[in-house]
Amino acid sequence: MTESSDRRIEHLLREHAPRVLGAILRKFRDFGASEDAVQEALLAAALQWPRDGVPDDPRAWLIQVASRRITDHVRAEAARRHREELVVSLVPPELQLVLPRDGDELAGRDDALVLLFMCCHPALTTASAIALTLRAVGGLTTAEIAKAFLVPESTMAQRISRAKQSIQGSGVPFQKPTPEETAQRLGAVLHVLYLIFSEGYTASSGPELHRTDLSGEAIRLTRMLHTLLPEDGEAAGLLALMLLTDARRAARTGPEGELVPLDVQDRSLWNAAMIEEGVALISATLSKGSLGTYQVQAAIAAVHDEAARAEDTDWPQILALYGVLMGLSDNPVVALNHAIATAMVHGPEAGLELLKALDAEGRLEESHRLDAVRAHLFERAGRHAEAVAHYRKAAERTTSLPERNYLLTQAARLNDTR
Amino acid sequence: MKMKYMLMMNSPREGAGGILHWPKEDIQAHIRFMVGFAKKLRETGELLVAEGLAFPDQAKRVRAGADGKPITDGIFPESKEFLAGYWIVEVDSPERAYDIAAEASAAPGRGGAPLNMAIEVRQVMSGPPPDMM
């Protein structure tokens, strides 16, 4: 069996995992048992399909195998407790053999959505929600998730099992969320997907390969969410933001894994197809009204991506968009980026003035970012001694190795030419 | 029988922040060396873990107070040597661990000259020694 066909099967399994789990969960109610059964079915498929070929209806196959596993488990459990009769009443015999086809495409779609909302349940910690989403909706194995987050597999297994217990304990029924519930909890779902993407995109440590998989997975899940909720502007905005950011991946790091900042990236390495898709998506979304932070961030990313050369960047437009973003979100990092955009439009001294205001608030005191930006603006203003001092201060404070290497090199470059 | 060793890199004599004041070329040569070194050890299958540590002025010394709550001090007291990073390798013999440590020790410093920094090599304990089993 060729590698590409293995990859195709893997892709197929990930596509089907959430809907299969949704269908099983709807029938058997028990989150933990359903999830285990689906994992077993996925594993069986991964072993059998490459050998015997992919069945005509992969989802029906998976649902049937998972159902059989779960009834087997229930039966084994019951046998131990001598409660055969109960099993018979719990699981009708016809259900043990063939499940009614999930022919209703809409039901399948709703199942995936319900599952996504369950996994991003407010009762869960963010870390648990991320792990559970990747496993239940993304169909990743515990080992894969553990590897991506650089924690031992046992730790991740515990995190996932605790998350499942919390959901079971919360008594949230498996059903389509009401429009109010959707609105309330969509924020958490988007946030979890955004964090999965960031984890993959930052690649601050560890073997990069797994991290790359993670941002690809985040894009896939967000694409799914956007398909399920095509009218939601923020879901579309987040997908656009991911596409427009990920499009720059190849240009973001140099041969030794060092960071390459946006303004000196080789733009011929950017992924034109992703940029085109992201720009089309955000343009269509922005024209619909109701603005959210992901949409504005996507719009900013689009302005960057549409410039053929760094010096062609439409900074006045970016500055205006950061102004909008400041109105929507009280985030000091947004204020920091606003200061950078201001410097690009009105000169570095104007940017440095805004940083003073941030100093006064003290909210970024602990962050090396303020120093890094200050260093950059001092450099642009020709105040090299101050720039070197702040590059060094930022280098001392960052906990990201590629970033530290970048900042050290900046300080040294400027110091050498002084 | 494979043995595990922890190779602890202490900061060079000029202090942990010394690299802040190196010329650009030297910093780049040092980074290139360290990246290549880790890659090589990963390829031989000998590297288990390698981590660099944040600069010492980010460090806190923690101990439990009378109530069991953590007490932290601001900055470490003055000391000539700081742990800058470490590798954990799995090798066939202690000599191989020393060889690896010597290679790391010779990482290029200012002006490209080898740093010859001290690398402390200590075996990682794992299970009882063979003759007790």
Side-chain angles (χ1 to χ4, degrees), chain B residues 60-74:
Chain B
K60 292 273 195 292
R61 179 168 284 187
V62 179
R63 63 192 158 82
D67 57 356
K69 297 257 168 63
I71 298 178
T72 62
D73 67 4

Side-chain angles (χ1 to χ4, degrees), chain A residues 387-401:
Chain A
V388 169
H390 284 283
Y391 275 131
R392 283 177 182 163
K393 200 167 160 202
E396 279 186 286
R397 288 176 147 202
T398 179
T399 53
S400 151
L401 196 55

Side-chain angles (χ1 to χ4, degrees), chain A residues 283-338:
Chain A
S283 306
T285 309
L286 285 178
S287 61
K288 283 187 196 161
S290 91
L291 205 56
T293 56
Y294 293 118
Q295 290 162 74
V296 181
Q297 289 179 75
I300 292 170
V303 177
H304 279 298
D305 287 8
E306 282 181 309
R309 299 175 307 163
E311 55 268 38
D312 300 338
T313 307
D314 186 350
W315 282 104
Q317 199 188 342
I318 290 179
L319 179 58
L321 287 166
Y322 271 117
V324 174
L325 197 53
M326 295 254 282
L328 291 172
S329 136
D330 179 34
N331 181 332
V333 176
V334 171
L336 197 59
N337 288 331
H338 178 252

Side-chain angles (χ1 to χ4, degrees), chain A residues 205 255-257 366 391-393 395-399 401 404-406 408-409 411-413 415-416, chain B residues 17 19-25 27-28 31-32 35-36 42 51-58 84:
Chain A
S205 64
E256 266 129 39
E366 291 299 310
Y391 275 131
R392 283 177 182 163
K393 200 167 160 202
E396 279 186 286
R397 288 176 147 202
T398 179
T399 53
L401 196 55
R404 178 158 89 187
N405 290 343
Y406 167 75
L408 278 176
T409 314
R413 172 183 53 78
N415 198 48
D416 287 358
Chain B
I19 195 170
L20 286 169
H21 303 281
W22 293 2
K24 181 182 159 202
E25 250 179 52
I27 292 178
Q28 285 176 322
I31 293 168
R32 251 198 315 278
V35 172
R42 218 166 259 134
E51 300 288 0
L53 301 181
F55 277 115
D57 71 343
Q58 298 293 300

Side-chain angles (χ1 to χ4, degrees), chain A residues 27-356:
Chain A
K27 299 210 157 80
F28 295 93
R29 305 273 153 194
D30 181 316
F31 192 93
S34 302
E35 222 258 324
D36 289 342
V38 172
Q39 286 291 326
E40 286 177 43
L42 292 172
L43 189 65
L47 293 172
Q48 283 179 37
W49 293 2
R51 194 185 59 215
D52 306 337
V54 176
D56 292 337
D57 188 343
R59 186 171 1 144
W61 190 99
L62 288 166
I63 291 174
Q64 194 175 341
V65 171
S67 307
R68 219 181 279 140
R69 294 291 153 100
I70 205 167
T71 50
D72 282 351
H73 284 308
V74 174
R75 234 183 284 148
E77 180 82 350
R80 213 178 43 181
R81 297 181 193 174
H82 309 287
R83 289 200 311 211
E84 291 275 17
E85 321 79 25
L86 186 61
V87 180
V88 175
S89 69
L90 269 179
V91 186
E94 70 274 15
L95 202 68
Q96 297 176 20
L97 295 171
V98 186
L99 265 133
R101 279 281 182 88
D102 231 342
D104 182 2
E105 182 56 24
L106 212 58
R109 284 173 47 166
D110 286 349
D111 283 348
L113 188 63
V114 176
L115 199 55
L116 198 54
F117 275 74
M118 273 187 107
C119 293
C120 301
H121 196 279
L124 300 180
T125 64
T126 310
S128 302
I130 289 172
L132 198 61
T133 302
L134 284 173
R135 179 152 154 156
V137 193
L140 270 68
T141 66
T142 307
E144 284 172 321
I145 304 169
K147 219 185 268 177
F149 285 91
L150 303 174
V151 300
E153 194 178 337
S154 54
T155 306
M156 191 48 82
Q158 240 173 9
R159 199 177 284 173
I160 290 172
S161 118
R162 241 182 289 132
K164 284 193 273 192
Q165 280 164 13
S166 305
I167 285 190
Q168 203 71 26
S170 75
V172 175
F174 187 81
Q175 61 187 35
K176 195 180 179 210
T178 63
E180 294 81 52
E181 283 169 335
T182 307
Q184 275 169 13
R185 284 170 57 186
L186 186 60
V189 172
L190 293 169
H191 185 61
V192 164
L193 293 173
Y194 178 75
L195 289 176
I196 294 172
F197 178 79
S198 304
E199 188 64 32
Y201 192 67
T202 309
S204 55
S205 64
E208 209 183 331
L209 180 73
H210 307 300
R211 303 298 182 101
T212 315
D213 287 355
L214 218 46
S215 49
E217 188 57 25
I219 290 177
R220 197 180 69 77
L221 294 178
T222 309
R223 201 185 279 284
M224 183 185 98
L225 182 68
H226 171 60
T227 313
L228 298 172
L229 299 172
E231 294 307 316
D232 187 84
E234 280 293 80
L238 181 59
L239 178 57
L241 176 60
M242 288 180 180
L243 291 167
L244 290 164
T245 310
D246 206 48
R248 303 183 206 129
R249 171 185 301 285
R252 266 185 90 233
T253 45
E256 266 129 39
E258 72 272 24
L259 288 181
V260 180
L262 188 57
D263 58 337
V264 292
Q265 286 176 11
D266 175 359
R267 296 184 177 218
S268 69
L269 295 176
W270 288 0
N271 185 324
M274 280 173 104
I275 292 176
E276 196 184 332
E277 188 189 352
V279 168
L281 192 57
I282 191 59
S283 306
T285 309
L286 285 178
S287 61
K288 283 187 196 161
S290 91
L291 205 56
T293 56
Y294 293 118
Q295 290 162 74
V296 181
Q297 289 179 75
I300 292 170
V303 177
H304 279 298
D305 287 8
E306 282 181 309
R309 299 175 307 163
E311 55 268 38
D312 300 338
T313 307
D314 186 350
W315 282 104
Q317 199 188 342
I318 290 179
L319 179 58
L321 287 166
Y322 271 117
V324 174
L325 197 53
M326 295 254 282
L328 291 172
S329 136
D330 179 34
N331 181 332
V333 176
V334 171
L336 197 59
N337 288 331
H338 178 252
I340 297 174
T342 302
M344 296 307 288
V345 176
H346 301 298
E349 298 290 350
L352 287 164
E353 268 312 303
L354 288 179
L355 294 189
K356 277 188 199 153

